[in-house]
Amino acid sequence: MEDIEAIAALQDPVRRRLYEYVAAQGREVGRNEAAEAVGVARTLAAHHLDRLTEAGLLDSGSRRLTGRSGPGAGRPAKVYTRARAERSVSLPARDYRTAAELLAEAAEEAGLDAGLRTAARRRGEALRGPAAPCGDLEEAMEVLAARGYEPHVEEGKEEDAQSPGGEAGADGRVVRMRNCPFHAVAERFPPLVCGMNLALLEGLLGADGPVRARMDARPGECCVVVESSKNNER
């Protein structure tokens, strides 16, 4: 029932827009910023943000948004981030997560990593269908967004512009993803599931096209990143 109540909290259109804005930022968001972003008064935004916190969809805390400390720095402001807990509703109840974890455990114990990656790459290719490989990062982001990965671009990151050979890429742009659709199972079986995820995206985006997926795990985000293939030209 808690999941149903949490999802029902998003029925209000203003509340849903506030949730979507906070979730998309990938950082703490203050009341003023959220209110301005969705075009409502601060008091109304505060009400809905607190309701989303009560429903377990957002986490809240407080910090000084000025970046200063000590006398004259102002009072800490309330800030919000998306809650890490997953919410889903199935009527009647289904438990696919337990099934996925059991299958992952069996695959790991049997050493079926290679077979799983082959199947995942094949599934990605089937999802892409007759379409050509993604032509650029913008097209790849559209594909990733449609699959629930919540992609965003990071630019000018030296570590992301490095190719496996140690040479800097053309522009350093890399697409990271705030959401992993397989997060719950990946937490328990990271090598197995992250390898599967990489292979799936290779098939979905096109392994031999202008963009490529590679492993680059970072806490709180998907273990795979996507970049232009030209970043790896020597």
Side-chain angles (χ1 to χ4, degrees):
M1 291 299 293
E2 288 184 2
D3 283 359
I4 294 176
E5 293 172 356
I7 293 173
L10 296 172
Q11 183 176 0
D12 183 281
V14 173
R15 195 174 300 156
R16 185 168 61 253
R17 294 204 308 274
L18 285 165
Y19 173 78
E20 291 171 348
Y21 178 78
V22 173
Q25 303 316 300
R27 56 173 173 78
E28 294 176 329
V29 175
R31 288 171 168 175
N32 288 339
E33 178 187 346
E36 183 176 351
V38 303
V40 299
R42 182 184 183 280
T43 52
L44 180 60
H47 167 74
H48 285 305
L49 290 167
D50 286 340
R51 286 291 303 274
L52 290 166
T53 303
E54 292 170 4
L57 295 171
L58 296 180
D59 290 332
S60 65
S62 61
R63 67 178 177 87
R64 289 188 173 91
L65 299 179
T66 61
R68 302 194 306 271
S69 60
R75 297 175 58 187
K78 200 163 187 179
V79 292
Y80 303 84
T81 56
R82 179 171 58 181
R84 296 293 297 168
E86 296 181 9
R87 301 290 182 179
S88 63
V89 174
S90 177
L91 298 174
R94 298 287 189 264
D95 190 5
Y96 300 112
R97 175 174 172 175
T98 297
E101 289 178 347
L102 289 171
L103 289 169
E105 183 176 355
E108 189 172 76
E109 290 178 353
L112 300 178
D113 304 57
L116 178 60
R117 290 195 297 271
T118 298
R121 189 173 293 104
R122 189 164 55 238
R123 173 58 65 90
E125 293 169 349
L127 291 171
R128 176 160 52 90
C134 290
D136 52 35
L137 289 183
E138 286 67 31
E139 185 178 346
M141 289 183 67
E142 292 180 5
V143 173
L144 294 168
R147 302 297 304 176
Y149 283 92
E150 298 184 3
H152 64 102
V153 174
E154 284 189 356
E155 303 200 34
K157 296 283 189 178
E158 182 178 351
E159 63 271 22
D160 292 330
Q162 295 292 323
S163 72
E167 295 182 3
D171 58 13
R173 292 201 309 159
V174 63
V175 174
R176 293 189 176 273
M177 294 165 272
R178 293 194 175 98
N179 182 52
C180 172
F182 317 109
H183 172 72
V185 187
E187 278 196 320
R188 288 196 58 190
F189 308 96
L192 181 77
V193 178
C194 290
M196 176 200 75
N197 188 27
L198 174 61
L200 177 71
L201 292 180
E202 287 174 341
L204 183 64
L205 302 176
D208 299 323
V211 301
R212 72 150 191 168
R214 64 176 172 85
M215 200 75 73
D216 188 8
R218 191 162 77 176
E221 294 192 336
C222 179
C223 58
V224 178
V225 299
V226 176
E227 64 187 2
S228 172
S229 296
K230 64 185 178 182
N231 282 2
N232 303 307
E233 294 178 355
R234 290 174 174 260

